[in-house]
Amino acid sequence: MAVFLYGEAEIAHLKKRDKTLGKAIDIIGHIERSANYETSNDDLFSALIKAVVGQQISTKAAATVWGRMEEGLGMVTPEAILGISEADLQAFGISFRKAGYIRGAAEKVVTGCLDIASLHSKTDAEIVKELSSLNGIGTWTAEMLMLFAMQRPDILSYGDLAIHRGMQTLYRRKKITPEMFEGYRRRYSPHGSVASLYLWAIAGGAAY
């Protein structure tokens, strides 16, 4: 699995802008975190489908289903997905609803309604808007794809509950309001993705 790559420049920025987070960074150390669905940076369609497969099921179950898909299809491409029936797609262990989402995404790519390659030249907001237009893909999924599959540097997801828990723990807050969140976002920018890694670690119980 790919992990989000970062180095001393990002750490130096965050430590300068936020001393509280900086102390946590020093104690936690370098983080290598991957999502259970991301793939390499040059295979966004596969990453997208893997994201749908992994929704609302365990990491282990998602890996099992994905393994069946790769074995049955070889490369998980739009053409390969449209080359089998929806029933065959469900036979990999995919629900009826997810099978519809997956075929829908494949059809949009094949017909040219969605140009996967062009996403690399778009802004974060434009990517979220375009991917969220697909059935089964929401803002959070689009943001995770940008962070892990596209290595976008400034992703801090308001819709991620673990990010909120990490902020609550780090800053000793009972609640993170939208205004607070935006303040932290501005403080971390343009390295919100690295801040996300540390907030996830703190939410997961990392001692700092």
Side-chain angles (χ1 to χ4, degrees), residues 14-15 17-28 31 156 161-176 180-181 183-185 187-188 192 194-208:
L14 292 174
K15 291 172 69 172
R17 295 294 299 274
D18 191 311
K19 295 190 182 302
T20 302
L21 177 59
K23 290 178 182 177
I25 288 172
D26 283 339
I27 294 170
I28 295 170
I31 293 175
L156 188 77
L161 296 179
I163 293 290
H164 282 256
R165 288 199 303 270
M167 287 181 173
Q168 288 173 285
T169 301
L170 180 64
Y171 301 112
R172 305 294 191 264
R173 302 280 190 180
K174 290 185 178 180
K175 182 180 179 181
I176 302 297
M180 288 177 185
F181 191 93
Y184 293 132
R185 185 198 298 278
R187 190 182 300 177
Y188 304 151
V194 176
S196 292
L197 299 183
Y198 284 94
L199 292 169
W200 279 323
I202 292 166
Y208 68 94

Side-chain angles (χ1 to χ4, degrees), residues 146-161:
M146 287 193 293
L147 199 161
F148 290 105
M150 300 181 74
Q151 299 280 304
R152 288 289 173 117
D154 203 18
I155 305 300
L156 188 77
S157 177
Y158 182 78
D160 192 299
L161 296 179

Side-chain angles (χ1 to χ4, degrees), residues 1-146:
M1 287 186 178
V3 296
F4 187 84
L5 303 175
Y6 67 97
E8 292 301 319
E10 293 87 345
I11 292 301
H13 172 87
L14 292 174
K15 291 172 69 172
K16 180 180 179 180
R17 295 294 299 274
D18 191 311
K19 295 190 182 302
T20 302
L21 177 59
K23 290 178 182 177
I25 288 172
D26 283 339
I27 294 170
I28 295 170
H30 191 82
I31 293 175
E32 291 190 356
R33 178 187 171 111
S34 61
N36 70 337
Y37 54 76
E38 95 294 345
T39 59
S40 61
N41 195 44
D42 60 353
D43 189 12
L44 291 183
F45 179 78
S46 179
L48 181 68
I49 300 308
K50 204 169 187 182
V52 175
V53 168
Q55 289 173 349
Q56 299 181 325
I57 61 176
S58 70
T59 300
K60 183 178 180 180
T64 298
V65 173
W66 187 250
R68 291 171 185 160
M69 287 187 70
E70 289 187 311
E71 183 177 351
L73 298 176
M75 296 292 291
V76 180
T77 64
E79 294 77 13
I81 287 171
L82 295 179
I84 63 174
S85 69
E86 196 161 311
D88 289 335
L89 194 55
Q90 291 177 60
F92 294 132
I94 297 168
S95 69
F96 173 80
R97 179 175 293 181
K98 286 184 183 179
Y101 294 157
I102 290 169
R103 285 186 65 84
E107 287 170 356
K108 287 209 170 186
V109 172
V110 167
T111 59
C113 293
L114 174 63
D115 183 354
I116 287 282
S118 73
L119 294 180
H120 288 289
S121 64
K122 295 182 183 296
T123 66
D124 293 347
E126 288 170 340
I127 293 170
V128 169
K129 182 178 180 180
E130 188 150 358
L131 290 180
S132 296
S133 70
L134 299 173
N135 289 332
I137 301 294
T139 297
W140 180 84
T141 299
E143 289 170 334
M144 294 305 102
L145 285 167
M146 287 193 293

